[in-house]
């Protein structure tokens, strides 16, 4: 229980709900009801049915034989890249849309940076026939044109955020403003283990299917449920939270959280929040946050759009604080090399986010009979242009 959220929504000193007064009724409605609704047999049945038939779960736990031989250890890949829409994010949006329906909400809002969460949200809104509005910074709309097109095809309206740096945090501000103005009919689907309580806990619970499956699958393959290491990349932290969840209290399982060091941790172009961050409030939550001396949020950088976030969720801040997880920062160059290595060694083109987790294999020495599970959070289709430009393909 040491790593579970407490009644007030805190993990150690991190978390809580630091929200404008006007948002209080919305967040409170959700906080009072989410655990009860999720626990009903009826919710669980529909959630698991959709995970199975729509998302394609369980995703395989794949023993990567050639990769294992190369690094002289036992490497398993949890194949979230095979989920419908190409990444783990859909696990969470399915859960939240089912919750929204039970709270009788008819209008869904979301914000997105890279567009992956926007696509996952637009997908489940189409599935359920609900109206979907996705806020996105004007700059991000230009940078992520294919995902904008996907959202539109799925029936979502993409609204540009034109203030500030015209990126994710401005889109978040717009989404919050919308929610304040539409408190009755609107549900705000947040895409990672961030935001005010109860979102971090709720999202972690929806993503915890990842470690639930790993346990079962490892038991079948290795005769034991617990690996020696679980490695996952961290943007906001949802795929890592899901991959770690059922191992949090198994202190013998080493957890490795991988952040983006961009062009180098201290280059000024990085997203290594655990090193550079200080305690602050972002998106309604008290957590580690990259900020200037006077508390302005620093614009983060990573070659991977999904890791380009100036904070981490409060669970991860707590895992860092308590040293339950080891944090490693991987540069753009090392991630790209690790991504290409997976292509050539296993025939799998990973998302660049996931390539950061793979790069740990070059940074850390594992023993021959260690069981190392790497969460392959997504596939690389969306990143083809970045790969093309980087490797001059
Ligand atoms: C969004 C995304 C991430 C980062 O988000 P988390 O909430 O930290 O998981 C990682 N990998 C992929 C493939 C993503 O799309």
């Amino acid at each position: 229980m040491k790593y579970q959220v407490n009644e007030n929504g805190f993990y150690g000193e991190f978390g809580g709900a630091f929200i404008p007064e006007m948002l209080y009724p919305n967040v409170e409605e959700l906080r009072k009801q989410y655990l009860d609704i999720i626990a009903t047999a009826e919710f669980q049945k529909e959630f698991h049915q959709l995970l199975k038939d729509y998302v394609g779960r369980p995703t395989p736990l794949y023993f990567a034989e050639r990769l294992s031989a190369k690094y002289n250890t036992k490497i398993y890949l949890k194949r979230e890249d095979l989920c419908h829409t190409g990444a783990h994010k859909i696990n969470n949006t399915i859960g939240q849309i089912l919750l929204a329906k039970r709270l009788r909400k008819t209008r869904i809002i979301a914000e997105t940076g890279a567009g992956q969460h926007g696509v996952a949200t637009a997908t489940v809104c189409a599935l359920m026939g609900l109206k979907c509005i996705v806020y996105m910074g004007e700059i991000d709309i230009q940078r992520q044109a294919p995902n904008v097109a996907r959202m539109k095809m799925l029936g979502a309206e993409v609204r540009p955020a034109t203030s500030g740096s015209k990126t994710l945090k401005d889109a978040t501000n717009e989404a919050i403003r919308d929610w304040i103005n539409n408190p009755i009919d609107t549900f705000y689907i947040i895409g990672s283990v961030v935001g005010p309580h109860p979102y971090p806990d709720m999202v972690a619970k929806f993503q915890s299917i990842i470690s639930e499956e790993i346990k079962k699958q490892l038991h079948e393959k290795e005769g034991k449920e617990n690996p020696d290491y679980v490695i996952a990349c961290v943007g906001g932290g949802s795929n890592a939270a899901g991959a770690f969840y059922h191992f949090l209290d198994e202190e013998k399982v080493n957890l490795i959280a991988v952040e983006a060091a961009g062009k180098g941790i201290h280059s000024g172009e990085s997203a290594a929040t655990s090193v550079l961050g200080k305690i602050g409030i972002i998106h309604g939550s008290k957590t580690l946050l990259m900020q200037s001396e006077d508390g302005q949020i620093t614009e983060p950088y990573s070659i991977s759009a999904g890791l380009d976030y100036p904070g981490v969720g409060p669970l991860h801040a707590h895992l860092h604080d308590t040293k339950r997880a080891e944090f490693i920062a991987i540069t753009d160059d090392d991630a790209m090399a690790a991504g290409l290595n997976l292509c050539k060694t296993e025939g799998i083109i990973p998302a660049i986010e996931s390539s950061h987790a793979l790069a740990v294999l070059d940074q850390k020495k594992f023993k021959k009979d260690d069981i190392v599970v790497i969460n392959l959070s997504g596939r690389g289709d969306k990143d083809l242009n970045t790969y093309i430009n980087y490797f001059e393909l």
Side-chain angles (χ1 to χ4, degrees):
M1 290 302 288
K2 239 160 80 188
Y3 306 103
Q4 291 292 334
V5 78
N6 72 18
E7 268 175 29
N8 303 319
F10 280 84
Y11 301 87
E13 62 176 310
F14 306 103
F18 298 85
I19 50 174
E21 189 82 29
M22 302 273 288
L23 265 189
Y24 187 76
N26 306 43
V27 175
E28 192 57 11
E29 177 187 32
L30 188 61
R31 188 189 66 78
K32 280 195 182 133
Q33 299 197 52
Y34 81 110
L35 289 175
D36 289 343
I37 294 176
I38 293 173
T40 60
E42 187 253 333
F43 181 97
Q44 284 296 321
K45 181 159 176 255
E46 193 176 359
F47 183 51
H48 283 99
Q49 194 74 46
L50 284 171
L51 288 183
K52 178 164 176 272
D53 297 334
Y54 189 72
V55 176
R57 304 204 73 90
T59 59
L61 183 69
Y62 165 67
F63 176 61
E65 194 173 334
R66 294 208 333 119
L67 198 65
S68 297
K70 179 165 178 180
Y71 289 98
N72 200 28
T73 188
K74 269 183 148 172
I75 302 166
Y76 284 90
L77 303 177
K78 181 59 172 161
R79 299 289 309 274
E80 294 302 293
D81 60 314
L82 296 177
C83 290
H84 177 46
T85 71
H88 66 289
K89 285 196 173 72
I90 189 103
N91 303 324
N92 167 52
T93 56
I94 295 255
Q96 289 197 46
I97 200 99
L98 293 181
L99 202 52
K101 275 207 320 182
R102 280 155 181 82
L103 292 170
R104 301 186 193 292
K105 306 293 181 181
T106 54
R107 183 175 174 273
I108 302 296
I109 58 169
E111 98 285 327
T112 194
Q116 292 303 108
H117 173 58
V119 170
T121 304
T123 299
V124 297
C125 287
L127 176 68
M128 295 297 167
L130 293 180
K131 187 176 166 62
C132 180
I133 294 153
V134 180
Y135 290 93
M136 194 167 180
E138 206 166 38
I139 303 259
D140 289 334
I141 289 180
Q142 288 161 17
R143 286 196 291 205
Q144 313 290 342
N147 276 338
V148 174
R150 284 187 185 102
M151 286 182 259
K152 288 183 177 166
M153 285 190 74
L154 292 161
E157 181 192 336
V158 180
R159 287 195 190 161
T162 55
S163 63
S165 55
K166 304 182 174 62
T167 58
L168 180 61
K169 67 176 163 36
D170 313 290
T172 305
N173 291 339
E174 293 295 328
I176 289 173
R177 191 167 311 145
D178 180 313
W179 207 23
I180 291 173
N181 290 327
N182 299 282
I184 307 294
D185 64 345
T186 297
F187 190 96
Y188 181 15
I189 297 190
I190 293 182
S192 191
V193 284
V194 300
H197 179 64
Y199 279 98
D201 181 51
M202 183 169 75
V203 176
K205 285 191 160 69
F206 291 144
Q207 292 292 0
S208 71
I209 185 71
I210 299 173
S211 47
E212 190 182 317
E213 289 176 4
I214 293 173
K215 277 197 168 224
K216 225 164 122 195
Q217 291 166 322
L218 256 194
H219 187 75
E220 280 163 18
K221 288 169 197 290
E222 293 283 343
K224 58 176 191 177
E225 289 188 334
N226 291 344
D228 297 287
Y229 291 88
V230 181
I231 305 175
C233 66
V234 174
S238 69
N239 87 86
F244 294 170
Y245 196 88
H246 291 285
F247 302 113
L248 287 170
D249 292 321
E250 311 274 3
E251 304 267 353
K252 283 198 178 133
V253 180
N254 296 287
L255 308 176
I256 300 181
V258 186
E259 294 182 306
K263 297 189 174 161
I265 292 177
H266 300 289
S267 65
E269 290 182 86
S270 157
T273 307
S274 72
V275 187
L276 302 171
K278 299 206 171 40
I279 205 161
I281 289 171
I282 180 171
H283 213 156
S285 177
K286 189 199 253 190
T287 189
L288 287 175
L289 173 62
M290 287 167 41
Q291 52 192 307
S292 63
E293 292 283 316
D294 55 357
Q296 291 296 315
I297 294 172
T298 315
E299 198 65 34
Y301 164 82
S302 164
I303 193 167
S304 117
L307 300 185
D308 188 349
Y309 185 71
V312 290
L315 166 63
H316 294 288
H318 184 53
L319 294 178
H320 179 260
D321 200 40
T322 55
K323 301 192 165 57
R324 174 66 188 93
E326 177 183 359
F327 281 68
I328 294 179
I330 296 292
T331 62
D332 288 356
D333 290 342
D334 289 344
M336 295 304 273
L340 193 60
N341 178 41
L342 189 74
C343 299
K344 309 270 189 210
T345 317
E346 295 289 347
I348 298 170
I349 302 176
I352 299 176
E353 292 85 355
S354 318
S355 299
H356 285 74
L358 292 161
V360 168
L361 293 170
D362 293 308
Q363 306 266 323
K364 211 176 151 78
K365 185 93 188 92
F366 298 100
K367 294 205 282 288
K368 187 162 176 38
D369 22 283
D370 277 345
I371 296 174
V372 179
V373 175
I374 301 176
N375 198 39
L376 207 66
S377 55
R379 58 179 175 245
D381 307 31
K382 69 180 177 63
D383 295 321
L384 221 53
N385 264 324
T386 312
Y387 280 126
I388 288 169
N389 292 335
Y390 186 88
F391 290 114
E392 297 177 357
L393 300 170

